[in-house]
Amino acid sequence: MSNLKLGIVMSVIRKSFRGKPLLRNEVQEAILHVWREGLRGGKLSRTNMLFSFARDPAVFLAVPFLVAAIAHKLDEEVIIGLYEGLKAIGFYKEEGLTADIPNAVFAVGTGGKEISTINVSTASAFVAASCGGRVVRSGTRRFFGLSGASDFLAAHQITPINELDLIKPMIERVGLALVDGDAFSPMMGKSLLPIVRTSSSLKNLVAAISHPIRHAVTLLQPDGIGCAFRGISLPITRHVAEALMSYRRIVRGLVVFSEDNQGRVFDELSNFGPTQISEVSANGISTYTLWPQDVGLSLAKVSDIEVSDPRCGHQLVLDILKGKRPETDPVVQLLALNSGALLYSGNSAQTIQEGVQRSLTAIGAGAPGLLMDSYRKYYADVLQRTR
C-alpha cells in the first residue's frame, strides 16, 4: 500500500483519536483502500491473510487501529460511510422490489449476541405474521453465535428466499418472507466462512474486529418497504435510527439493544432486564428504556432463556410455535415481546403491549406453528407459479 493510500487510513485514525468527527466519504475511502490494496479483494482465509501480511504488513498494523477509530466515532455519518464502503466492495447489494409493500417491516440484526438462546428473531417473525403482521426477515447462517437464521430454517425444512421478486407474493399469502441474507450480502458467506472453518482463535479475532463494522448492515433496506426493525450489539440505537431516517427515509421503526448485568450483549428486546429503544415515527426519533413489566410480562433470569444445544433450541421453538408451552414460560414471553415489537414497528399494533398480548394469544392457540406449515406449502406454490 503506498504512503498516500495508507495516509487516507491514518487520517481517519488521527481524527477519531483527537475527538474530531469523521465524514462518511473518509470512512468509505479508508474501507475501500484497506480492501483493495491490502487484501486485494480476496477471501479472508488464513492463507490469503498471511500472504497479504507478507506483502504489506502496514495494512495489518493499521486495520485494528482503523476499527478502533470507527468504533470510537460510530455515529450516523460513520455508519453511512461504512455501508457505502462495503456496498462499493460488493458486500451489500441493493435491488428494489417491483412494488411497494405497505406496512411491511424489514427486520435484520448485526449479530454479536453473547448470550446463547434460540434464534429469537426468526421465531418471533413467525409469531408476528400469525398475528396479522407483515414481516420480511433477512438472516444468514451462524458465523459467531449459536444459531443463525439459515440454520434455524434448515432445521425446520424451510427454504429461504433468494429472489427478491418472491417477497411480495409471500407477504400477500402468509404475511412473512424469509430471505437468505446472501441475496443482499453475496460476499458475506464467501468472506467469513473460510475463517469460521479454520481456527477458533482466528474466528474470535475477526468477531471482535468486525463487531463495529457489522453495524453497516443496519442500513440494508429493500426499496418499497418503509418500516424497519433492527437488533444491534452496541448501545448506539439513536445513531442507527438517525442513519435509517436520513439515509433510508424510514417512516417507522425500532432499533433495540440490551445486555445482562455482566455486560453480555443481547441484540433483541430483553425480558431479563431493560432494553434501550430508539423509535422512528412521524414525530422524529425518541429514545427510551423498556422493561418487560412495562408491557405486562414477568422479569426473567438470564438462565431461564439460555440454550446451549442448537438442536434442543430448534425443538423448543417448535413446541412454542405449536402452543405446547405455557404462557408463563420465559422463552414464550421472550418471543412474545419481540413479536409485539415487530407488530408495532410495522403499524400492525398501536402499542408494543398490544402486540405482546396478541402474540401470547396466538402462541397459546398454536397459530405460529400452523403458519409455519402454510409457509412451506405457499412457498412451493409461489416457486412453481413463477418458474
Side-chain angles (χ1 to χ4, degrees), residues 112-134:
K113 181 169 61 178
E114 296 170 342
I115 299 172
S116 295
T117 67
I118 61 170
N119 189 285
V120 176
S121 302
T122 309
S124 60
F126 276 100
V127 178
S130 74
C131 297
R134 315 184 95 197

Side-chain angles (χ1 to χ4, degrees), residues 19 122 148 167 187 243 254 259-260 284 311 320 356 358 381:
T122 309
I167 292 177
M187 288 182 62
L254 296 179
E259 59 186 347
D260 67 4
R311 289 175 298 180
I320 291 172
V356 168
R358 285 168 52 189
D381 291 345

Side-chain angles (χ1 to χ4, degrees), residues 271 292-299 333-334 336-337 356-357 360:
N271 66 333
Q293 300 97 313
D294 296 335
V295 292
L297 298 175
S298 302
L299 181 64
Q333 296 203 354
L334 176 64
L337 176 59
V356 168
Q357 292 307 312
L360 288 172

Side-chain angles (χ1 to χ4, degrees), residues 278-290:
S278 286
E279 177 179 336
V280 178
S281 69
N283 298 320
I285 298 172
S286 60
T287 299
Y288 52 91
T289 298
L290 183 80

Side-chain angles (χ1 to χ4, degrees), residues 16 52 77 102 176 195 225 260 300 311 338 345 358 383 386:
S16 175
S52 297
E77 277 286 296
L176 179 63
I195 295 173
I225 300 178
D260 67 4
R311 289 175 298 180
N338 282 272
S345 298
R358 285 168 52 189
L383 276 180
T386 56

Side-chain angles (χ1 to χ4, degrees), residues 195-217:
I195 295 173
V196 174
R197 290 171 176 169
T198 56
S199 68
S200 59
S201 58
L202 184 57
K203 172 181 171 180
N204 292 335
L205 176 62
V206 172
I209 290 177
S210 67
H211 190 53
I213 296 177
R214 290 202 301 270
H215 283 69
V217 77

